[in-house]
Structure formats: C-alpha cells, structure tokens
Amino acid sequence: MNLKSKNRAMLREATSEPFTTPKRIFGRRSGWRSWLQAVVVGGMAVAGSAGLTAAQVKTPPPTQAEIESVQVERIPNGLKKKVSGVILRREVDSFVMRDKTAGEIRVLLTGKTRVEEKKGNFLRRGRNYGTTSLIRGLNLEVEGRGNDEGALVAEKIRFTENAYMTAQSVETRVVPVEERVEETSTRLSQAEANAQRLSGQLAELDTLSKSARTEAGTAQKTANDALTRVETTNRRIDATNQRIDQLVSSLDDYEAKRVITIQFRVGSAQLLPEATQALDEVAAQAKTERAYMIEIAGFASAEGGVALNRRLSQQRADAVVRYLAETHGVPLRRMITPFGYGAAQPVADNTSREGREQNRRVEVRILVNRALQPSKPGSSGGSSSD
C-alpha cells in the first residue's frame, strides 16, 4: 500500500460515513460534522506522519447514477393510463412528474405526442403547444401507454393556460434559487480546499460551513414554498373552472318567479281595467329581477271554431305584449314570442259557463335564470289570478 492509499484509509477510519464531496454532504446534513472532523483529523495525521499537505488528499466524486437516481412507478407494458400531476424534472425527450397519489412517473415524449390546451371556455378553439412548453412546476394531464421499460409513452398532454402561466412564473423564481444553491455548493468546495490547506483553522472553517448550511436550508425552503404556492394556485384554478362549467350548463335553466292569469270577455281581445292593473304589477316586479324573461300564452274557450279560437287567443297574447311594451317600456327581447293556443290546454270544463270564463285567458309568467340569481334561502315565485 502506497502512502497516498494509507492516508486515505486513515481518513475513512476517522468517520462513520464514506468519504465524499461537499455536494453529496449537502444532501445529507447529518454527515457534515463527521466529514469536517475527518478532514481535520486526517490532515493532522498526514502532516504528522508523512509531512504531506492536506491538498494532496483527493476524494472520489459521486457517480452519475447516484446523482440521477429517481424512484419512479413502473407502468405495465401496453397499459393505457391517464395521470395528473406536476412536472418535477425535465429532460430532452422525457420528464419526471409526481401524480396526485404522490407517486413519481417517468413520461417519454415522441414525435406523435400531442400537447394541447385544456380550455375551460367552449366558445373558442384550444391552443396547441410544443414540447418545449413542458417546464418544471407545470400542472398537467398525461394520457399514454406503458412501455417495456416501465415508462409512460405520452400520446396526449393537456394543461390550462393559467397553469402554464403559473409554471412560467415559478420557473423564473426557482432558477435564481438554484443558482444560489450552486453558489452555495461552490462555497462549500472552497471551504474544503481551505480546510485541506489550513487544517489548523478549525473554528473558522466550522463557521463557514454553518453559514453555508443555513443558506442552503433557506434556499431549499424557498423552493418548497414556491412549489406549495403552485399547487395552491392550481387548486383554485380548478375550483374556478368547475364554477364556470356549472354556470354555463345552467344558462337555460329558468325559474318562474310569478304567474298571473288575465281574463277576457267572450270574443274579445281588449284588456279589462283589472287586467291592466295586474300587468302594471308584473312590469314593476320584472324590472327588479336580474336576467328575467316574460312568457305570454293566450287561450280561448271552445265556443267558436278552431281557426277563430286560435286567432282570438293570439290577439289576446299580442294585446298583453303591446301593453307591456308601450306602457312600461319592457324591451321586446325580454318577452318570449307570444303564442295563441286556441281552445287547447283548458283549465276548466268548457261545458259550463264558469269553465268557459276561466278558459278565456292569457297566462303571464316572469322567468329568471337560476345561474345568475343570488341564492336566497326560502325565496319562491308567487302567483295570482284575476
């Protein structure tokens, strides 16, 4: 055994962990003090036994496999799978993501991989992106199949525009943090060189190491906080998109806030005084509602012929529309096209006088959109009949 090998063996015996570089110690905090003691004790031993300087003792660098090793979930070959999560690390033709079950999955990109926008607005066309848009911190959905290496070969990747903008913002913050980490690592290397050259200055080196470790912990905490904020923002975006979907799906859902019935004389489409009074109340209430519509349907008794009753019921409905538009300025766009049903849909027996009087009518309904109304516990539409 030559002198250099002997010195290295003495250094390894002075610590319980393998002799390694500061970059590896940076990820294993508990080994830092042992490594520091090993440097000093080993340097003293070398200086005392052979008169060598500490700079002559070289340490083996970490292997690439140790640096790049990542525990990932294996996808069975040929299994079609859809996962959602956040990109942790980006490579040239692949990336590693963490899905919502806290597992890590390696995703491979091919020339057939489609990268699309997960749009929340159905009125516009979704955007297509390149694979360069797949950056760290991006919240996305991946659909694909497993290969024989246990990776997920992506067929389609989707993410929202907001998620992409958020990931870009985080990227601009994380990169400076990583630069600070690299700078800290450089400072640790310099501290090692100083320790090898000046083994007697233990107190000063210990102070530098503590400062570097504190800065590294602060940088790591900043990065973790940034990722936490990304996940929180993504959850808020998902909740907002769900609310938008609910609003869009309920745009054609209307509730009758008030229903009134207006009676007419036999063979007449002229509004009676009590009818105009009821329509005045309808117009006043309609103007206080949000996103309202007025439905107007005319009817007749069965005393006349089919054509006459249809024409008469239509004239009655038109008389109501004209009164609301001319007297109260209700916009025509707020009134659903009036329709005369003739003698159809009777509410009473046409064989009696009282029944025929009830059937000579116009029904007016104030409808409001459920999606655009504030929730009011206990609220319900009223009704009245003249």
Side-chain angles (χ1 to χ4, degrees):
M1 178 180 296
N2 55 34
L3 182 59
K4 184 181 294 185
S5 300
K6 181 178 180 181
N7 293 333
R8 180 175 294 177
M10 293 174 64
L11 291 175
R12 290 183 177 176
E13 290 176 358
T15 178
S16 60
E17 296 187 0
F19 194 82
T20 182
T21 63
K23 290 186 179 180
R24 294 186 60 194
I25 295 174
F26 180 75
R28 299 164 60 184
R29 300 180 178 177
S30 62
W32 171 252
R33 186 171 298 278
S34 298
W35 174 85
L36 185 61
Q37 293 173 351
V39 171
V40 176
V41 173
M44 295 172 121
V46 171
S49 62
L52 296 177
T53 63
Q56 293 177 285
V57 182
K58 298 182 180 179
T59 59
T63 65
Q64 188 66 18
E66 291 174 329
I67 297 176
E68 298 295 333
S69 63
V70 177
Q71 297 296 328
V72 298
E73 175 185 352
R74 293 185 60 84
I75 309 299
N77 188 16
L79 175 65
K80 186 173 181 64
K81 191 174 183 64
K82 178 178 180 181
V83 295
S84 301
V86 178
I87 295 179
L88 297 180
R89 192 181 69 187
R90 182 71 165 88
E91 299 174 353
V92 178
D93 294 322
S94 66
F95 59 85
V96 175
M97 65 177 292
R98 175 174 296 156
D99 65 2
K100 294 182 178 179
T101 61
E104 295 180 350
I105 299 175
R106 183 178 297 279
V107 179
L108 300 182
L109 305 175
T110 67
K112 298 181 180 180
T113 302
R114 292 177 298 158
V115 183
E116 304 173 350
E117 177 188 5
K118 181 181 179 182
K119 63 187 185 70
N121 185 356
F122 71 95
L123 297 178
R124 68 174 178 84
R125 184 177 182 181
R127 298 186 180 90
N128 294 323
Y129 294 90
T131 55
T132 56
S133 302
L134 304 175
I135 58 179
R136 290 179 302 172
L138 179 61
N139 190 291
L140 44 64
E141 294 181 356
V142 180
E143 297 183 23
R145 295 181 182 274
N147 63 2
D148 53 357
E149 297 178 356
L152 181 64
V153 180
E155 299 173 355
K156 182 169 69 173
I157 299 176
R158 298 197 311 160
F159 53 85
T160 64
E161 182 180 7
N162 288 334
Y164 180 59
M165 294 176 63
T166 302
Q168 285 182 315
S169 176
V170 172
E171 184 74 1
T172 59
R173 297 185 182 183
V174 171
V175 169
V177 171
E178 291 179 337
E179 292 175 353
R180 290 180 59 191
V181 172
E182 184 64 23
E183 179 183 358
T184 302
S185 179
T186 302
R187 292 182 62 184
L188 285 173
S189 299
Q190 295 173 353
E192 177 190 16
N194 292 334
Q196 293 173 346
R197 291 192 302 266
L198 306 171
S199 59
Q201 300 181 0
L202 176 61
E204 180 181 356
L205 184 59
D206 184 63
T207 302
L208 291 175
S209 66
K210 289 180 179 180
S211 175
R213 185 173 58 186
T214 301
E215 291 182 8
T218 302
Q220 184 64 47
K221 184 178 183 302
T222 301
N224 293 338
D225 292 343
L227 289 177
T228 300
R229 288 193 294 270
V230 169
E231 295 176 356
T232 302
T233 302
N234 287 333
R235 286 195 295 269
R236 291 177 180 175
I237 292 172
D238 291 340
T240 301
N241 289 336
Q242 291 177 2
R243 175 58 179 163
I244 292 174
D245 292 341
Q246 292 174 356
L247 290 176
V248 171
S249 62
S250 59
L251 285 178
D252 59 347
D253 187 7
Y254 285 84
E255 172 188 5
K257 296 290 287 188
R258 185 173 184 180
V259 180
I260 68 169
T261 301
I262 299 174
Q263 308 298 145
F264 290 84
R265 293 193 178 96
V266 178
S268 173
Q270 183 176 359
L271 294 175
L272 298 174
E274 55 268 26
T276 59
Q277 181 180 356
L279 290 176
D280 293 341
E281 296 175 0
V282 168
Q285 178 178 349
K287 292 179 180 180
T288 64
E289 299 291 348
R290 294 178 55 191
Y292 73 90
M293 302 291 289
I294 299 179
E295 182 183 70
I296 301 169
F299 302 91
S301 62
E303 293 173 292
V306 174
L308 175 62
N309 287 335
R310 287 179 178 174
R311 184 170 60 255
L312 182 58
S313 62
Q314 184 66 48
Q315 292 172 352
R316 290 170 175 169
D318 292 340
V320 172
V321 172
R322 181 172 296 277
Y323 182 82
L324 292 175
E326 292 180 349
T327 304
H328 295 283
V330 177
L332 293 178
R333 70 177 184 277
R334 293 292 188 182
M335 292 184 280
I336 302 174
T337 303
F339 186 78
Y341 288 88
Q345 301 182 19
V347 295
D349 188 0
N350 276 304
T351 60
S352 65
R353 179 179 178 181
E354 292 78 7
R356 290 190 294 272
E357 288 178 354
Q358 295 181 41
N359 291 331
R360 293 192 294 270
R361 72 193 191 280
V362 168
E363 294 180 355
V364 182
R365 290 180 172 84
I366 299 177
L367 306 177
V368 294
N369 192 291
R370 293 180 185 270
L372 302 180
Q373 297 300 313
S375 58
K376 297 179 180 179
S379 63
S380 60
S383 64
S384 64
S385 177
D386 294 338

